[in-house]
Amino acid sequence: MKKILVPTDFSEQAENALKVAAQLAKKQKCELFLIHTLEMPLNKVDPLSSQQNLPEAMYFMKLAHKHFETLLAKEYLKGINVHEVVEFDETFKAVYQLCKKENIDLIIMGSHGVNGFKEMLIGSNTEKVVRTSDVPVLVIKKEHPVFNIDQFVFASDFKDECKPPFEQAIRFAKLLDAKIHLLMVNTANNFITTNNATTRMQEFAKSLGFENFTSNIYNDISIEKGIINYCHSTSADLIGMCTHGRQGLSHFFNGSISEDLVNHAKRPVITFKIK
């Protein structure tokens, strides 16, 4: 891992993510990229027809750089190579483009979650990044003075399409020196016997040459609740999942377990895109 990207709106939640990123960057000797987005498309501003928009855009640009000056002076960022970026675009689009341009290895974002009607209509910036990113996204919910991950729960149905994302999860676990616990949640509508579930998980992991894991089956009324309840009962440090990155009507009707967890889980969540 060489490059970590942290989107920031200079909020407390964003700084919680930045503090985690700083710890990982020092440990892995990574570069940090901080991006702040201004959702006013500068390229569409016509100085002749809308003379108020351009000064407003420049004002927010200067304000962002002033916030960056304050942020970069923080003690926890000392000794890290940090790059600041300001873009006039929607957050998830700007993040996607910067990841492609700079070959980002990991995105770390802060989130306090959204609920109810707001979640259904617009979601959060974090959720949109999770849905669209080809890069793993680590979502941080609170401050971690020391970001130690010992117990890493990877929840999946363990089908073949999840093997490439799981390989990414293995690499991430090795960076953190974490133990991986494979989890399959049983629900009434999607039932599999304990024997079959255990066999599938073991064959899945061993086909990739991975042995440092435990196999776990948990019964609950939904997959999301099962993951959250299992992690609570075992004091897991991190939840990992694959995401299909559904968009449009498909996302509206089918939803995404990983995006729901980003909004509702109290623990850090890391997502890996199925390509």
Side-chain angles (χ1 to χ4, degrees), residues 71-214:
L71 196 58
L72 295 176
K74 300 282 187 176
E75 183 68 27
Y76 60 83
L77 289 176
K78 287 189 176 179
I80 302 173
N81 188 8
V82 183
H83 309 271
E84 62 177 87
V85 179
V86 179
E87 292 288 349
F88 288 84
D89 207 341
E90 292 180 86
T91 299
F92 75 97
K93 292 180 181 178
V95 166
Y96 183 86
Q97 293 299 327
L98 188 58
C99 285
K100 293 291 185 183
K101 179 182 177 182
E102 297 292 346
N103 294 315
I104 299 296
D105 298 298
L106 176 68
I107 299 168
I108 303 182
M109 295 190 72
S111 175
H112 49 70
V114 294
N115 292 286
F117 201 58
K118 179 181 179 183
E119 176 183 354
M120 182 178 70
L121 289 178
I122 62 170
S124 65
N125 277 325
T126 303
E127 180 187 334
K128 291 177 183 177
V129 170
V130 165
R131 194 186 312 155
T132 57
S133 175
D134 292 330
V135 175
V137 182
L138 174 61
V139 181
I140 301 299
K141 297 298 186 72
K142 63 181 182 180
E143 185 175 12
H144 295 266
V146 179
F147 188 70
N148 281 336
I149 301 296
D150 296 318
Q151 310 302 322
F152 178 13
V153 173
F154 185 85
S156 175
D157 58 9
F158 300 100
K159 294 181 179 178
D160 285 345
E161 66 178 0
C162 295
K163 286 183 179 180
F166 184 60
E167 288 181 304
Q168 291 182 300
I170 292 171
R171 289 194 292 270
F172 189 70
K174 287 180 178 178
L175 287 176
L176 302 175
D177 196 24
K179 174 90 171 185
I180 291 185
H181 303 277
L182 305 184
L183 173 64
M184 184 180 292
V185 176
N186 251 336
T187 64
N189 294 329
N190 190 21
F191 180 79
I192 182 171
T193 66
T194 297
N195 182 62
N196 287 342
T198 302
T199 299
R200 186 192 293 182
M201 284 187 280
Q202 290 177 346
E203 290 180 349
F204 178 91
K206 289 179 180 179
S207 71
L208 299 172
F210 185 66
E211 297 181 352
N212 185 27
F213 69 93
T214 65

Side-chain angles (χ1 to χ4, degrees), residues 244-262:
H244 283 89
R246 293 188 182 97
Q247 300 186 49
L249 286 176
S250 174
H251 172 261
F252 182 84
F253 287 115
N254 296 307
S256 167
I257 296 166
S258 55
E259 290 160 31
D260 289 341
L261 281 171
V262 163

